[in-house]
Amino acid sequence: MLLFEPRTVPELLEEIKALTQEIQELYCLDSIPWLIGWSGGKDSTAVLQLIWNAIAALPIEKRTKTIHVITTDTFVENPIISTWVRKSLTKLKILAKEQKMPISPHLLHPEVKETFWVCLIGKGYPAPRNGFRWCTDRMKIQPVNQFIRDLVRVHGETIVVLGTRKAESTKRAATMKKYEAGRLRDRLSPNSRLPNSLIYTPIEDWRDDEVWLYLMQWDNPWGNNNKELFTMYRGATADNECPLVVDTSTPSCGDSRFGCWVCTMVDKDKSMEAMIQNDEEKEWMQPLLDIRNELDIKNDRPKRDFRRIYGRVELFERNMGDDKTSVEPIPGPYTKFWREHWLRRVLEAQTHIRKTAPEEMRDITLITPEELSEIRRIWLEQKHEFDDSLPRIYEEVTGERFEDSRPAAERKLLGSDEWTAIEEICSDDKMHLELMAKLLDTERQYYTKPRRTGIYADLDKCFETSSRSQDEAIGNAHYQRNLKTAVEAVKANPTENIQQVKSAIAQTNSSAKNDTVDIAKLKEELESNSQSKQLSWADIKYSTPEVGEGNTKD
């Protein structure tokens, strides 16, 4: 069932005429700057075209308010679309200046420390999933929101123009309807994530066919050819685009031709698959699709550390079905081996594409030098991997020497020779190797500091996170969990004799060697006595000896 009844062409013409007048009135109403979220897709292009044509019809003396056009490049955008967007922004800037239009384009990027490859290869974050969608906020929301906050800081308020439409989905329609209820002015909705910013969605009631009709029948005012845009869409299996993302309610763009090529939030990258299958000239993107599919596996636990990224083992209760549960450690970041593997795969794809892609795409950059430098810094300073494998991998894959832009990046006391020596000493004991590397590198980091305050705390962290084997660390986590459960059981039923409580805790302590404790048996023992007494930690620790024990002091 259609969300909106079909309109005739004359009715659409009247709608465009009314929108043009509405845009002009809103623009001239106040001095609040406008900000248009443009992705290069059909919806955002239709909005930008509508506003451009409406403002162009105003006298030059009335074009006093700047309209900022922003788009975000996450560095992992579909390369075809990324090239299209960059060229379009260049045209837009030139034509705006020639036509005296108050339009200023901006290409936004995430901070280097928040990019996809720095988080995945550098820090070891697993490929994004619905339960851990770490990419959207870092790569899309933060750059946009920071730009908007800077604009609000200067002007006090801003109007954000988006190409979102209710016809995209019933969920999108429901979300937009919710925001409509809080409208303070006609057509302008508030947004909780963007203080002092109002959202304007001029084509919210348009259908897909109306968007295309407008784009095909009205010339693009900044020199683009909308038929080229239509051609890019035509080979796709899904007619979607990735809109400007301002909050986490925006769905994943993995099915979109205008999304990230590494997106694992969906089962398949249908858009890239369609581009490769439908156009021989785009077969050069196959290495990108291969990397994306390799990242997108259902069970990546063998590739990840048994500890969380801060070094602690954390447990969760997994539902195994048939009313059975299993207490297991939450997997952490990718291990050193797999982080180096992903780095090698990306560099191999980049090197291959630069040799085989069409001439206009051979300057492609899948991972920037700044990202490589940050990944190297994380491996050296945070992971304590002083073997410094990144330059070696880079040279092996590309045949070129890695040039690090960080000052004094090549000055180091420990290197691959020392790492090899420690590997030989530690043999196959990975945790021993990790502990030795952390201790040595922690000392190295404090070596040149004028004050060594904090070194003992950092050395303690090395032992806390790396002194136990995997089995011992997981067993200790079970032990701590069982102690906590025992305490909760005592709080829930404080009718136990103090001595019996102490005996139960002692029994738990001795049972920790088996990694798990029979909590049901412990609870049964704690609930066996009917005496009523509220216990405190002081009662347990400083309990009065029973008769016959004697009352001697140590």
Side-chain angles (χ1 to χ4, degrees), residues 3-207:
L3 289 173
F4 302 101
E5 290 296 325
R7 287 186 288 201
T8 63
V9 173
E11 288 174 336
L12 179 60
L13 289 172
E14 288 299 317
E15 167 75 3
I16 293 171
K17 184 178 179 180
L19 267 179
T20 300
Q21 185 176 352
E22 177 182 277
I23 291 168
Q24 291 173 338
E25 290 175 355
L26 279 174
Y27 179 82
C28 297
L29 188 63
D30 49 46
S31 60
I32 300 174
W34 282 19
L35 186 150
I36 303 176
W38 183 68
S39 68
K42 66 182 191 308
D43 297 334
S44 58
T45 297
V47 166
L48 179 55
Q49 189 166 304
L50 273 168
I51 291 176
W52 185 299
N53 290 332
I55 304 304
L58 291 173
I60 294 179
E61 59 270 16
K62 288 189 176 183
R63 304 177 197 172
T64 57
K65 189 163 62 176
T66 302
I67 299 175
H68 301 274
V69 177
I70 64 171
T71 188
T72 306
D73 182 1
T74 62
F75 297 122
V76 284
E77 301 293 326
N78 183 309
I80 299 294
I81 308 306
S82 179
T83 302
W84 160 269
V85 168
R86 288 173 181 273
K87 290 180 178 178
S88 299
L89 284 178
T90 301
K91 290 181 181 179
L92 193 148
K93 186 175 183 178
I94 294 172
L95 266 293
K97 186 175 181 180
E98 289 179 359
Q99 299 178 20
K100 293 182 171 50
M101 291 291 293
I103 291 179
S104 176
H106 306 270
L107 184 61
L108 308 181
H109 300 287
E111 292 186 63
V112 173
K113 64 180 181 180
E114 304 290 6
T115 64
F116 186 85
W117 294 125
V118 167
C119 289
L120 188 137
I121 297 176
K123 301 174 185 177
Y125 285 7
R129 293 289 185 273
N130 287 324
F132 188 33
R133 186 183 171 185
W134 53 263
C135 52
T136 305
D137 184 73
R138 287 175 168 82
M139 296 160 52
K140 294 191 174 184
I141 296 176
Q142 288 184 17
V144 170
N145 287 3
Q146 184 60 51
F147 186 91
I148 294 174
R149 282 194 293 268
D150 291 343
L151 208 60
V152 169
R153 194 174 294 115
V154 174
H155 300 278
E157 197 173 3
T158 185
I159 294 175
V160 181
V161 188
L162 302 176
T164 49
R165 296 180 297 113
K166 296 175 184 175
E168 293 177 65
S169 67
T170 53
K171 183 178 179 180
R172 171 62 66 182
T175 302
M176 295 181 71
K177 190 173 182 180
K178 181 184 71 173
Y179 283 124
E180 281 181 22
R183 283 182 173 173
L184 304 176
R185 295 163 56 182
D186 292 341
R187 305 276 281 183
L188 299 179
S189 305
N191 187 294
S192 57
R193 284 290 299 264
L194 302 173
N196 293 354
S197 297
L198 297 173
I199 307 296
Y200 177 39
T201 51
I203 62 169
E204 59 185 20
D205 296 330
W206 286 30
R207 303 190 319 272

Side-chain angles (χ1 to χ4, degrees), residues 392-441:
R392 172 178 53 81
I393 294 172
Y394 184 88
E395 187 168 356
E396 288 175 357
V397 175
T398 66
E400 302 173 0
R401 187 173 180 272
F402 177 66
E403 300 291 342
D404 200 325
S405 58
R406 288 185 301 124
E410 305 304 328
R411 293 175 57 187
K412 50 190 178 181
L413 297 175
L414 300 173
S416 57
D417 292 341
E418 289 78 12
W419 186 275
T420 302
I422 296 176
E423 278 185 318
E424 293 175 358
I425 294 170
C426 297
S427 187
D428 295 328
D429 192 338
K430 294 182 180 179
M431 294 306 298
H432 191 196
L433 170 63
E434 182 180 295
L435 177 59
M436 293 300 102
K438 283 186 175 182
L439 291 173
L440 282 171
D441 196 60

